[in-house]
Amino acid sequence: MERTLSIIKPDGVRRALVGEVIKRFEQAGIRIAAMKMLHLSREQAKAFYAVHRERPFYDSLTEFMSSGPIVVMVLEADGAIQKNRDLMGATNFKDAAPGTIRHDFATDIEQNVVHGSDAPATALTEIAFFFSALEMV
Ligand code: UDP
Ligand code: MG
């Protein structure tokens, strides 16, 4: 069993897409091992996305990610990282395949509803950013 981090971003929470996103995970056979809602500070958003700190979209992205509550989850499945990325769709919703979360709901390359870890090493560090071992069931 593999674990990955999922975030329903502030646009997804504001637009009442939490249930829709979780339904897609459950229907894909993904188990939710941990979940909570929180509101990142700007500093916390900058720390989470530190890998992108040299990118031109870093300031805007971290402002957006700290603009309202998010839902963070640990997803568990065989191949959870890729399964979640497949359900999410491409970063830019204009390139995302029909039936993916970003194709169906994203409105903008930045405001794209969901985050998902992209590799085993990032999954480990991103899960540890939000959850302790005791919080995973
Ligand atoms: N992003 C953006 N402009 C870009 C590329 C990315 O605003 O040109 C935002 C978008 O919200 C994306 C996040 O930065 O989800 C992280 O980018 P990454 O390339 O890691 O995409 P992801 O892994 O989320 O598909
Ligand atoms: Mg990424």
Side-chain angles (χ1 to χ4, degrees):
M1 279 293 166
E2 184 176 69
R3 285 176 171 172
T4 189
L5 185 84
S6 167
I7 304 177
I8 304 176
K9 295 183 179 185
D11 59 329
V13 175
R14 268 195 289 274
R15 294 171 57 215
L17 295 171
V18 173
E20 175 66 35
V21 171
I22 291 175
K23 185 185 77 177
R24 290 178 181 220
F25 294 155
E26 290 183 333
Q27 288 184 342
I30 291 171
R31 196 180 78 81
I32 298 169
M35 173 161 60
K36 60 189 165 190
M37 177 178 268
L38 54 95
H39 188 153
L40 290 176
S41 68
R42 185 70 185 276
E43 287 312 309
Q44 289 168 332
K46 284 182 168 177
F48 180 75
Y49 275 118
V51 64
H52 290 313
R53 65 187 171 278
E54 306 298 340
R55 308 289 290 279
F57 56 82
Y58 181 63
D59 275 350
S60 176
L61 173 64
T62 54
E63 182 169 346
F64 162 56
M65 288 301 291
S66 57
S67 70
I70 60 175
V71 173
V72 289
M73 285 170 274
V74 176
L75 305 182
E76 191 177 85
D78 281 327
I81 295 169
Q82 192 57 49
K83 260 185 192 152
N84 181 40
R85 297 292 306 194
D86 290 347
L87 290 170
M88 289 164 58
T91 307
N92 188 343
F93 71 106
K94 291 179 180 167
D95 303 327
T100 61
I101 294 166
R102 284 165 165 175
H103 172 274
D104 293 351
F105 300 110
T107 54
D108 184 85
I109 189 166
E110 178 179 270
Q111 306 215 2
N112 57 5
V113 187
V114 280
H115 167 85
S117 308
D118 61 5
T122 43
L124 278 180
T125 53
E126 290 181 357
I127 288 169
F129 186 91
F130 288 106
F131 295 98
S132 74
L134 286 174
E135 291 177 297
M136 286 178 267
V137 293

